[in-house]
Amino acid sequence: MSDQHIPTDGRLVRLYDHFKREWQIYVLLLPMIIWFTVFLYKPMYGLQIAFKDYSIFKGIADSPWIGFEHFQTLFGSDQFMRALRNTFMISMLSLCFGFPMPIILALMFNEITNQVFKRTAQTIVYLPHFISTVIIAGIVITAFSPTAGIVNAVLEWFGIEPIYFLIKPEWFRPIFIGSGIWQEAGFSSIVFLAAIAGVNPSLYESAVVDGASRWQMMWKITLPSILPTIIIMLIIRIGNLLEVGFELIIVLYQPATYETADVINTFIYRQGVQGAQYDMAAAAGLFNAVVAFVLVMTANTISKRYSRTSLW
Amino acid sequence: MSGVDLSSIVKKYGAFQVVHGIDLTVAEKEFVVLVGPSGCGKSTTLRMIAGLEEITAGDLTIDGRRMNRIAPKDRDVAMVFQNYALYPHLNVADNMAFGLRIRKMPKAEIKTTIDDVAGILGLTEYLDRRPADLSGGQRQRVAMGRAIVRHPKVFLFDEPLSNLDAKLRTQMRAEIKRLHKRLGVTSIYVTHDQVEAMTLADRIVVMNDGRIEQIGTPMELFNNPANTFVAGFLGSPPMNQVKGVLTAKGAKIGETEIKIDGVTAADVGRAVTVGIRPEHVALKAGKGTSALPIDLDLVEPLGSEALLHARFDNNEMVFKAETHGDIGHLSGVTDIHVDSSLVKLFDGETGQALNLGG
Amino acid sequence: MANMNLYSRGDKLFVYINMALIALFTLSTLYPFIYITAVSFSDGSAASAGTVVYKPVATTISAYKYVLSEPLFWTSYVNTFIYTFGGTFVSLLIIIPGAYALSRPQLIGRRFFNLFVAFTMWFNAGLIPFFLNMRDLGLMDSYFGLIIAFACNAFNIILLRNFFEAIPESFEEAARMDGANEFQVLWKVFIPLSKPAIATIILFCMVARWNGFFWAMIVLKDEQKIPLQVYLRQVIATLKDDEEFGLQVLNFSYSVETVTAAIMVCSIIPVLIFYPFIQKYFNKGIMLGGVKE
């Protein structure tokens, strides 16, 4: 039967038929494709200025090529190298301190038996996620102000001299990372809570019969059960290592704290948008994007190997 | 008139062929059931008739009109889906009216149609409810109502009862049959359940592996299965099939011989599969019976009947026996008497039915 | 969870300590909100001297009076609403049809189009080319420019596409047999069936628009077009400068601190009003966010 000749319509006829019947799908698809082309793919064409001596008057296409000059300048510049270092430092620190918090919170929420208390607490700890960066910055600036702020007021009770937190480079990272935890720890715990909710309840029941305590069950059942989720989330975090919340930095930092606060994106912002050195800033951006791309792809590959499901 | 005609229908997904040239003519007002194990191509065939799958090759005509390239909505067929596909955001009335509204039927006409159909299906008091608030049987009825309101030329059913529990399934089965009698619309019904096929169909189409094994009325298929596949598929429990060899007097299975008339000299020594329906046996010898010595394994009482699981010459076999209200007398059974005239013979290699002396 | 009465004594202790810790964390989450609310209702000189702890000192509403009498506050507030609702509307116009088309198995080039969208999650040109592109397109300093340039992103599309893909095919098939075309299938079947996912997208879009300030700050030059967050940022900048130079405005019953706090409170209030409505969706939304290609 399989070698029997089956007469079918020609390819073109079928294609014509398809578009005649399904043209509406393509109409629905079109606005999105146009948007992606104009706003995300066209700028990729504009990335070539990273290798050009870009002049606004000549435009992207007509500016002369200069090869890797901008990259050489960047890697020879203390400012860029500092930004690079700071980006990794801030990322690593927020990974170390910020990553475990949502997991701990989720485990703790899971142990709460009073539903009203649980729901109220969850509602409150999720809230900061929805607060804008500017307001977070505003709160930080107000609270850490040397004269008006509550933090220095508290220090004063303990007889400690007021500290000008926001102009001290050594205080920038703790404040930045702390406010990040305050804003996102609660909301990020949702993923882990969902993973915990998926744990088979009979595991706990048999553990209770075996005489396990709550504490033991948390360590021996809950935590191992959500380990895959934890690892996936960790891989995602590492993949996005370069994505530092630079918007908050822009509002919070000042020249006095650049030393510890200036990251790649704030550097690009100052060089490009404020300093109009578009080509050099684009080169820094391209470097950032390529490293990020490699990180994300690596993370995805690892995750595929680990969980047999891709992150996307 | 509103017949459906399939001629050499083929379906391929890339290089993978799932339907290998099907020929089937469904007469007007006929209720045809496509039955077969999962993956046999029955649903694909139904979906090709509906227009949900492209036909790779062959011709489909409905009411004399070639439908291969006609959009589903213009084929004038209605389909009842396995999961009903009721829109959860619409109430019963709106679910049934959905297609009519899209087709721009006048409001008043929609209302009378819906009221009529709801009356037929006993849904009148549920018209304002959402699908989530209905029982399984009611949802099933709404799904049928949605098909009925359109007054299509052909009804297509894709395993419509498989989501119901056993009791409800029996009840809805009867309802579908009654409805078909009342409306008289040509219907094509897909199921993997042979009981549904037997009870509902005017004609059954048994499919396997993308091909039609046999077409016929339920009793034709039951009495004269064309091959071992059909024999094993229809009937509950299925026909016992054991390997044997033809002799001058009948068929020999191991050391036992079953008397069968009409074996010609030429056929002697031919390898065959002997088919014995569980129902076609008795506990006592009678006219024209042959005895099978068995090792009784297990007795499963069903009420008026019991199933006897037994070993016969290294074959697992199942027989039905009357209980007469007690299974005690069944535990000592050592011989089963087969009604020779009802024994079926199939070719040992091809599995096709053998007609001796016929 | 099991009935507490069945817990052993050690377990009960564990549960109570745990509850106390959660309560502590919850309070420390809440405290900054209480703090700025207290500051906003305090007397300017008291706030500047750092005496406000959790309740207003020398309660006054003069900071609010000042803020509400500031025309730019109102202008930026109205602008934020324009960007939030206008932006979300435009986003839906692009995201919903696009996600639907990507979810259809019959779409030719479906793999390519999906990759076309997903690739932008892994690689983007970055700030400067995006900025220059907007300038070249003449979208600087306009409501429309800010709305359209940030109308879409791969994440939202993939989230909704996944939801659409999970809707049983029979819904579309039933609608098609009933005579519906693609637009009708989308509008009458898929959108009503996808309310949770669409609500999640609306939530993401609205939160991003309401809170966004960076691009608004870069793109908008005309003060009359800036959203609230940019206005707030300008006020905060003066606050920061004050600190650097050690200057304080003590002449009035309001100070830079109380005014800033008042603006922040005004900006948070709509979020708080919407919060109960959106809460039930973001649990779902996060789970939908388990994006797969």
Side-chain angles (χ1 to χ4, degrees), chain C residues 12 34 70-71 91 106 125 137 144 161 171 173 183 190 205 222 257 269:
Chain C
K12 278 184 185 160
I34 296 170
E70 197 55 32
S91 296
Q106 67 264 39
L137 292 170
F144 175 74
R161 182 206 67 190
F171 280 109
E173 291 170 351
F183 304 129
F190 274 64
C205 290
D222 182 355
E257 283 83 14
I269 284 171

PDB file of all heavy atoms in Angstrom, chain C residues 12 34 70-71 91 106 125 137 144 161 171 173 183 190 205 222 257 269:
ATOM      1  N   LYS C  12       4.726  22.359  68.186  1.00  0.00           N
ATOM      2  CA  LYS C  12       3.983  23.583  68.501  1.00  0.00           C
ATOM      3  C   LYS C  12       4.954  24.740  68.687  1.00  0.00           C
ATOM      4  O   LYS C  12       4.748  25.837  68.167  1.00  0.00           O
ATOM      5  CB  LYS C  12       3.132  23.385  69.744  1.00  0.00           C
ATOM      6  CG  LYS C  12       1.817  22.676  69.435  1.00  0.00           C
ATOM      7  CD  LYS C  12       0.950  22.583  70.668  1.00  0.00           C
ATOM      8  CE  LYS C  12      -0.299  21.757  70.363  1.00  0.00           C
ATOM      9  NZ  LYS C  12      -0.938  21.243  71.553  1.00  0.00           N
ATOM     10  N   ILE C  34       4.551  52.663  56.533  1.00  0.00           N
ATOM     11  CA  ILE C  34       4.052  53.393  57.703  1.00  0.00           C
ATOM     12  C   ILE C  34       4.918  54.631  57.928  1.00  0.00           C
ATOM     13  O   ILE C  34       4.424  55.731  58.162  1.00  0.00           O
ATOM     14  CB  ILE C  34       4.089  52.482  58.949  1.00  0.00           C
ATOM     15  CG1 ILE C  34       3.141  51.297  58.745  1.00  0.00           C
ATOM     16  CG2 ILE C  34       3.724  53.264  60.206  1.00  0.00           C
ATOM     17  CD1 ILE C  34       3.284  50.214  59.799  1.00  0.00           C
ATOM     18  N   GLU C  70       0.229  72.066  43.483  1.00  0.00           N
ATOM     19  CA  GLU C  70       1.293  72.116  42.475  1.00  0.00           C
ATOM     20  C   GLU C  70       0.730  71.641  41.138  1.00  0.00           C
ATOM     21  O   GLU C  70       0.370  70.462  40.982  1.00  0.00           O
ATOM     22  CB  GLU C  70       2.411  71.175  42.964  1.00  0.00           C
ATOM     23  CG  GLU C  70       3.777  71.305  42.351  1.00  0.00           C
ATOM     24  CD  GLU C  70       4.406  72.680  42.402  1.00  0.00           C
ATOM     25  OE1 GLU C  70       4.167  73.446  43.374  1.00  0.00           O
ATOM     26  OE2 GLU C  70       5.123  72.979  41.467  1.00  0.00           O
ATOM     27  N   PRO C  71       0.626  72.514  40.107  1.00  0.00           N
ATOM     28  CA  PRO C  71      -0.003  72.086  38.846  1.00  0.00           C
ATOM     29  C   PRO C  71       0.720  70.899  38.205  1.00  0.00           C
ATOM     30  O   PRO C  71       0.079  70.019  37.645  1.00  0.00           O
ATOM     31  CB  PRO C  71       0.100  73.315  37.944  1.00  0.00           C
ATOM     32  CG  PRO C  71       0.461  74.446  38.829  1.00  0.00           C
ATOM     33  CD  PRO C  71       1.090  73.911  40.072  1.00  0.00           C
ATOM     34  N   SER C  91      -0.917  47.755  24.112  1.00  0.00           N
ATOM     35  CA  SER C  91      -0.218  46.486  24.312  1.00  0.00           C
ATOM     36  C   SER C  91      -1.135  45.314  23.983  1.00  0.00           C
ATOM     37  O   SER C  91      -0.747  44.379  23.288  1.00  0.00           O
ATOM     38  CB  SER C  91       0.248  46.348  25.760  1.00  0.00           C
ATOM     39  OG  SER C  91       1.197  47.339  26.037  1.00  0.00           O
ATOM     40  N   GLN C 106      -1.801  25.716  12.399  1.00  0.00           N
ATOM     41  CA  GLN C 106      -1.815  25.792  10.934  1.00  0.00           C
ATOM     42  C   GLN C 106      -0.980  26.944  10.398  1.00  0.00           C
ATOM     43  O   GLN C 106      -0.792  27.067   9.192  1.00  0.00           O
ATOM     44  CB  GLN C 106      -3.264  25.888  10.408  1.00  0.00           C
ATOM     45  CG  GLN C 106      -3.996  27.174  10.744  1.00  0.00           C
ATOM     46  CD  GLN C 106      -4.860  27.008  11.992  1.00  0.00           C
ATOM     47  OE1 GLN C 106      -4.458  26.353  12.941  1.00  0.00           O
ATOM     48  NE2 GLN C 106      -6.025  27.613  12.006  1.00  0.00           N
ATOM     49  N   ALA C 125      19.462  44.810  21.500  1.00  0.00           N
ATOM     50  CA  ALA C 125      20.498  45.728  21.024  1.00  0.00           C
ATOM     51  C   ALA C 125      20.991  46.628  22.139  1.00  0.00           C
ATOM     52  O   ALA C 125      22.097  47.152  22.072  1.00  0.00           O
ATOM     53  CB  ALA C 125      19.969  46.558  19.865  1.00  0.00           C
ATOM     54  N   LEU C 137      13.010  57.644  14.479  1.00  0.00           N
ATOM     55  CA  LEU C 137      11.593  57.458  14.110  1.00  0.00           C
ATOM     56  C   LEU C 137      10.761  58.677  14.481  1.00  0.00           C
ATOM     57  O   LEU C 137       9.558  58.726  14.215  1.00  0.00           O
ATOM     58  CB  LEU C 137      11.008  56.223  14.810  1.00  0.00           C
ATOM     59  CG  LEU C 137      11.551  54.866  14.374  1.00  0.00           C
ATOM     60  CD1 LEU C 137      11.066  53.777  15.322  1.00  0.00           C
ATOM     61  CD2 LEU C 137      11.124  54.543  12.949  1.00  0.00           C
ATOM     62  N   PHE C 144       2.527  59.372  22.123  1.00  0.00           N
ATOM     63  CA  PHE C 144       2.427  58.204  21.264  1.00  0.00           C
ATOM     64  C   PHE C 144       3.736  57.410  21.247  1.00  0.00           C
ATOM     65  O   PHE C 144       3.733  56.189  21.334  1.00  0.00           O
ATOM     66  CB  PHE C 144       2.039  58.622  19.843  1.00  0.00           C
ATOM     67  CG  PHE C 144       2.032  57.477  18.862  1.00  0.00           C
ATOM     68  CD1 PHE C 144       1.009  56.541  18.900  1.00  0.00           C
ATOM     69  CD2 PHE C 144       3.060  57.322  17.941  1.00  0.00           C
ATOM     70  CE1 PHE C 144       1.004  55.478  18.023  1.00  0.00           C
ATOM     71  CE2 PHE C 144       3.062  56.249  17.059  1.00  0.00           C
ATOM     72  CZ  PHE C 144       2.036  55.336  17.103  1.00  0.00           C
ATOM     73  N   ARG C 161       0.617  33.082  24.683  1.00  0.00           N
ATOM     74  CA  ARG C 161       0.622  32.023  23.668  1.00  0.00           C
ATOM     75  C   ARG C 161       0.521  30.651  24.331  1.00  0.00           C
ATOM     76  O   ARG C 161      -0.246  29.796  23.901  1.00  0.00           O
ATOM     77  CB  ARG C 161       1.903  32.113  22.847  1.00  0.00           C
ATOM     78  CG  ARG C 161       1.972  31.086  21.728  1.00  0.00           C
ATOM     79  CD  ARG C 161       3.396  30.763  21.374  1.00  0.00           C
ATOM     80  NE  ARG C 161       4.072  30.074  22.467  1.00  0.00           N
ATOM     81  CZ  ARG C 161       5.357  29.839  22.510  1.00  0.00           C
ATOM     82  NH1 ARG C 161       6.137  30.266  21.556  1.00  0.00           N
ATOM     83  NH2 ARG C 161       5.900  29.202  23.538  1.00  0.00           N
ATOM     84  N   PHE C 171     -12.308  23.368  21.102  1.00  0.00           N
ATOM     85  CA  PHE C 171     -13.045  24.628  21.195  1.00  0.00           C
ATOM     86  C   PHE C 171     -12.984  25.390  19.870  1.00  0.00           C
ATOM     87  O   PHE C 171     -13.971  25.912  19.390  1.00  0.00           O
ATOM     88  CB  PHE C 171     -12.482  25.511  22.315  1.00  0.00           C
ATOM     89  CG  PHE C 171     -12.960  25.108  23.673  1.00  0.00           C
ATOM     90  CD1 PHE C 171     -12.103  24.523  24.574  1.00  0.00           C
ATOM     91  CD2 PHE C 171     -14.277  25.310  24.043  1.00  0.00           C
ATOM     92  CE1 PHE C 171     -12.535  24.138  25.830  1.00  0.00           C
ATOM     93  CE2 PHE C 171     -14.728  24.933  25.287  1.00  0.00           C
ATOM     94  CZ  PHE C 171     -13.855  24.344  26.190  1.00  0.00           C
ATOM     95  N   GLU C 173     -12.241  24.042  17.003  1.00  0.00           N
ATOM     96  CA  GLU C 173     -12.865  23.240  15.956  1.00  0.00           C
ATOM     97  C   GLU C 173     -14.381  23.363  15.989  1.00  0.00           C
ATOM     98  O   GLU C 173     -15.023  23.512  14.951  1.00  0.00           O
ATOM     99  CB  GLU C 173     -12.435  21.780  16.115  1.00  0.00           C
ATOM    100  CG  GLU C 173     -10.959  21.583  15.804  1.00  0.00           C
ATOM    101  CD  GLU C 173     -10.446  20.213  16.169  1.00  0.00           C
ATOM    102  OE1 GLU C 173     -11.181  19.451  16.832  1.00  0.00           O
ATOM    103  OE2 GLU C 173      -9.312  19.902  15.802  1.00  0.00           O
ATOM    104  N   PHE C 183     -11.237  35.671  13.465  1.00  0.00           N
ATOM    105  CA  PHE C 183     -11.487  36.827  14.335  1.00  0.00           C
ATOM    106  C   PHE C 183     -12.561  36.480  15.359  1.00  0.00           C
ATOM    107  O   PHE C 183     -12.459  36.829  16.534  1.00  0.00           O
ATOM    108  CB  PHE C 183     -11.927  38.047  13.519  1.00  0.00           C
ATOM    109  CG  PHE C 183     -10.943  38.438  12.443  1.00  0.00           C
ATOM    110  CD1 PHE C 183     -11.362  38.628  11.139  1.00  0.00           C
ATOM    111  CD2 PHE C 183      -9.598  38.600  12.747  1.00  0.00           C
ATOM    112  CE1 PHE C 183     -10.450  38.971  10.153  1.00  0.00           C
ATOM    113  CE2 PHE C 183      -8.674  38.949  11.770  1.00  0.00           C
ATOM    114  CZ  PHE C 183      -9.114  39.130  10.462  1.00  0.00           C
ATOM    115  N   PHE C 190     -11.663  32.431  22.435  1.00  0.00           N
ATOM    116  CA  PHE C 190     -10.367  32.417  23.124  1.00  0.00           C
ATOM    117  C   PHE C 190     -10.227  33.520  24.160  1.00  0.00           C
ATOM    118  O   PHE C 190      -9.718  33.275  25.245  1.00  0.00           O
ATOM    119  CB  PHE C 190      -9.224  32.469  22.100  1.00  0.00           C
ATOM    120  CG  PHE C 190      -8.857  31.109  21.599  1.00  0.00           C
ATOM    121  CD1 PHE C 190      -9.772  30.359  20.875  1.00  0.00           C
ATOM    122  CD2 PHE C 190      -7.627  30.556  21.881  1.00  0.00           C
ATOM    123  CE1 PHE C 190      -9.459  29.095  20.428  1.00  0.00           C
ATOM    124  CE2 PHE C 190      -7.295  29.286  21.436  1.00  0.00           C
ATOM    125  CZ  PHE C 190      -8.212  28.554  20.709  1.00  0.00           C
ATOM    126  N   CYS C 205       1.331  44.814  32.357  1.00  0.00           N
ATOM    127  CA  CYS C 205       1.449  46.040  31.564  1.00  0.00           C
ATOM    128  C   CYS C 205       1.185  47.262  32.429  1.00  0.00           C
ATOM    129  O   CYS C 205       1.915  48.251  32.378  1.00  0.00           O
ATOM    130  CB  CYS C 205       0.448  46.026  30.407  1.00  0.00           C
ATOM    131  SG  CYS C 205       0.857  44.843  29.132  1.00  0.00           S
ATOM    132  N   ASP C 222       9.429  67.647  27.371  1.00  0.00           N
ATOM    133  CA  ASP C 222       8.374  68.600  27.731  1.00  0.00           C
ATOM    134  C   ASP C 222       7.796  68.239  29.099  1.00  0.00           C
ATOM    135  O   ASP C 222       7.261  67.144  29.287  1.00  0.00           O
ATOM    136  CB  ASP C 222       7.283  68.537  26.651  1.00  0.00           C
ATOM    137  CG  ASP C 222       6.178  69.533  26.929  1.00  0.00           C
ATOM    138  OD1 ASP C 222       6.203  70.192  27.996  1.00  0.00           O
ATOM    139  OD2 ASP C 222       5.281  69.651  26.060  1.00  0.00           O
ATOM    140  N   GLU C 257      11.296  66.690  52.754  1.00  0.00           N
ATOM    141  CA  GLU C 257      10.995  65.314  53.159  1.00  0.00           C
ATOM    142  C   GLU C 257       9.496  65.052  53.178  1.00  0.00           C
ATOM    143  O   GLU C 257       9.021  64.041  52.643  1.00  0.00           O
ATOM    144  CB  GLU C 257      11.546  65.011  54.567  1.00  0.00           C
ATOM    145  CG  GLU C 257      13.026  64.755  54.618  1.00  0.00           C
ATOM    146  CD  GLU C 257      13.828  66.061  54.678  1.00  0.00           C
ATOM    147  OE1 GLU C 257      13.205  67.124  54.944  1.00  0.00           O
ATOM    148  OE2 GLU C 257      15.037  66.023  54.459  1.00  0.00           O
ATOM    149  N   ILE C 269      -1.246  55.121  46.501  1.00  0.00           N
ATOM    150  CA  ILE C 269      -2.679  54.897  46.768  1.00  0.00           C
ATOM    151  C   ILE C 269      -3.402  54.133  45.642  1.00  0.00           C
ATOM    152  O   ILE C 269      -4.077  53.132  45.914  1.00  0.00           O
ATOM    153  CB  ILE C 269      -3.388  56.227  47.108  1.00  0.00           C
ATOM    154  CG1 ILE C 269      -3.021  56.607  48.544  1.00  0.00           C
ATOM    155  CG2 ILE C 269      -4.901  56.119  46.964  1.00  0.00           C
ATOM    156  CD1 ILE C 269      -3.474  57.995  48.950  1.00  0.00           C
TER     157      ILE C 269
END
